[in-house]
Structure formats: structure tokens, C-alpha cells
Amino acid sequence: MDILRARVEQQIMALSGLSLGGIDYEQPPGDPGLFGPGSVCWQVHADFPSMLCGGIGALMLQMMHPLALAGVWDHSNFREDMLGRLRRTSQFIAGTTFAATADAERLIERVRRIHAGITGVAPDGRPYAASDPELLVWVHVAEMRSFLEAYLRYRNPDLSRADQDRYFDEVARIAEALGAHDVPRSRQAVETYLENMAPELVFDERTAEVLQLLRTAPAPNLTTRPVGRLMVQAGIDLLPDWARARAGLQRSTLQRKLVERSMKPLAGTLRWALQNGASHRARRRMALAG
């Protein structure tokens, strides 16, 4: 059983930002990082299955914004290395949540430097810049909303509304550190923001290509391929109803229930296997049991 657990954990690690190295989550002892173990984001971001399918859903939603898509399309190799992009995003989220303070701040500064060089003109003629405060808000909200929706669906549907508000209030700190302004800091503010953004979003040929790349992204091995396909379906189901409709991704209630029913035992297996994720190491840094 221990051998099986270790093998599954190794496969999980291959999908996560931990495979990139560069951060020792167990040092220095006692450093709480930017949030600390009492935060809601430690609770939400510790659940790897939710974070994985939430990250997939977030990417799909983000790429419906023409300027966000243009920046990634023009300045990223995601079409050749989708898994690498997911790993880098995973490292940033895990690092800013669970790493010691200096490591988290280093990650933020690195992303700020990268953003400074990402400028261009979208196909519709509008200029874009990754450092644009409004664009930073969009990327942040699409991401954090997807993580929380996945957590509510696959880990803790009883998380209180107050804690959901606290989650958005906490993680706004990261968006602001990257240069965002007027970041929504509650569940209602996030929902209102997304409703206001809906008219600006499109699902065109390039957005469809991103979705296809997600669906066909190479898995680390044959064993994980069906897991990846299920995760993509789960990510699609996290999109707001209007976003799925715009993308032509509507599915029946029965189809969505089947995905959810299949995800739950998979999520349980992943939680059972993962013993050395970023959150586990951070808890050891803080000398916390369990």
C-alpha cells in the first residue's frame, strides 16, 4: 500500500509546481508566510484536487477575455507546453500561499518583472499590457473564483458565506501586490464583477483552440491520461452558466452529475496519496500536526 501511495504521489507531483523546485516550504521554521495557517486560503488552496480542476476552469474563463488571451498568445509557449504553464501557475499560487514570506515576495516580484515586458496589440486593434491593473483584476478574479467554486463542490460545500468573503478579502492582497486596483473582496463583489465583465468576453477561434489544447494536453503518463480528461470536464463545469453557453459547452444536468460523481472518489484518492504537498510542508514549517 505504501508503494502504491508513493507512486500516486509521484504522479501528482509531476503535475504540480513542486516539480519545478526552487522553494523550500519547510524553511525557515515558524515563518507564517503572507497569510499563515489560520487563513481561509490555506484551507482552500491545500486541497489539491480542487485546485487542479479549479485551475483548468480558471484558464478557460481567463482566455475568454480578448486582451488576456492576446498576451498569452503572443508571449507564451503554452501551445507547445500547456502542462508547463499549469505547473508555473501552480507554483505561483502555492508559493504565495504557503511559502515563507521571502519566497512569496520573490515570486511576486518575478511575475511583476515578467508582466512589465508583456505588451502588444490584440487582433481587434486594442493595445494590451500584462501589467494593466484592470487586466490583473480579471485574471485574479477568474482564478480565485474558480478555486473557491471547486473547493465548495469537491471538498467543503458547507464553508460559510463569511469565510467565503474572507477568502476573497485575503487573496486580494496578491493581486494588489502585482499592481491591481479595486479588487473585489467579497463573494457578492466577485459575482457582480463577473456579471459586469460578461459583455466583454468572447469565444472565438483562438479561445476554442485553447480549450482544445486543454482537452488534448499530453499527460505525464498513460495512467494519468483519463484523470486529466476528467479534470478538464470538471473544470468546464465550474464555469459560470453564461460562459459555458457562450462557449457552446452546455451539458445536461445528468452529464454534469456524472462528472461530479466520478470526481469525488478520484479526489479522495488524490488526498490519500498526497503527503508532501506544499501545504503539508508548510504545516511542518509551522510545527503543526496533521
Side-chain angles (χ1 to χ4, degrees):
M1 188 64 72
D2 288 342
I3 294 175
L4 174 61
R5 193 176 205 168
R7 286 179 178 173
V8 175
E9 182 174 48
Q10 185 178 32
Q11 292 171 352
I12 294 171
M13 294 297 190
L15 296 171
S16 76
L18 287 172
S19 64
L20 301 177
I23 298 175
D24 185 349
Y25 287 90
E26 298 190 42
Q27 298 296 328
D31 186 323
L34 299 183
F35 301 101
S39 63
V40 181
C41 64
W42 266 50
Q43 180 180 341
V44 173
H45 294 177
D47 190 51
F48 179 79
S50 299
M51 294 299 287
L52 186 55
C53 61
I56 292 169
L59 181 59
M60 286 189 283
L61 185 57
Q62 288 167 347
M63 294 302 98
M64 292 180 71
H65 191 302
L67 300 186
L69 176 57
V72 173
W73 196 276
D74 295 343
H75 296 271
S76 168
N77 68 339
F78 79 99
R79 280 166 285 178
E80 294 77 35
D81 188 21
M82 180 64 76
L83 185 56
R85 176 176 175 81
L86 291 172
R87 284 172 177 151
R88 291 188 293 275
T89 301
S90 170
Q91 184 188 60
F92 181 78
I93 299 300
T96 53
T97 305
F98 297 114
T101 306
D103 286 320
E105 291 175 345
R106 175 174 54 81
L107 284 173
I108 291 169
E109 183 56 33
R110 184 176 73 186
V111 170
R112 286 181 67 99
R113 289 197 304 269
I114 292 171
H115 282 174
I118 298 178
T119 60
V121 179
D124 61 11
R126 288 185 291 168
Y128 66 81
S131 58
D132 177 0
E134 292 185 5
L135 203 54
L136 288 167
V137 172
W138 165 251
V139 171
H140 168 81
V141 170
E143 203 162 60
M144 299 306 164
R145 181 261 178 199
S146 298
F147 292 150
L148 183 59
E149 286 300 309
Y151 181 79
L152 293 170
R153 183 168 300 182
Y154 295 114
R155 184 57 172 172
N156 181 14
D158 298 321
L159 185 71
S160 71
R161 185 70 176 228
D163 278 345
Q164 293 177 46
D165 288 345
R166 191 152 68 96
Y167 172 75
F168 286 117
D169 185 58
E170 289 169 357
V171 295
R173 175 179 181 177
I174 302 301
E176 290 170 347
L178 290 173
H181 302 156
D182 302 319
V183 183
R185 305 183 79 102
S186 70
R187 173 93 189 214
Q188 183 57 57
V190 165
E191 291 171 355
T192 300
Y193 171 82
L194 288 172
E195 289 171 5
N196 292 337
M197 288 295 296
E200 299 187 30
L201 307 183
V202 300
F203 190 87
D204 56 17
E205 291 182 2
R206 298 209 300 185
T207 321
E209 184 173 335
V210 173
L211 176 59
Q212 183 61 19
L213 287 168
L214 278 169
R215 284 175 158 167
T216 59
N221 53 60
L222 291 175
T223 306
T224 59
R225 187 174 296 169
V227 173
R229 289 174 179 169
L230 178 59
M231 287 286 184
V232 171
Q233 293 304 314
I236 289 172
D237 287 349
L238 294 172
L239 293 170
D241 291 341
W242 52 264
R244 283 200 312 276
R246 194 165 302 179
L249 297 171
Q250 303 100 317
R251 288 204 294 269
S252 68
T253 301
L254 176 60
Q255 288 173 316
R256 294 176 66 186
K257 286 292 183 184
L258 287 173
V259 169
E260 187 173 343
R261 190 174 299 172
S262 300
M263 263 296 300
K264 287 185 176 179
L266 171 61
T269 300
L270 296 178
R271 292 182 193 115
W272 164 79
L274 190 59
Q275 299 293 302
N276 291 286
S279 64
H280 301 86
R281 299 178 190 194
R283 290 180 66 83
R284 291 198 285 266
R285 186 180 77 243
M286 298 300 295
L288 298 172

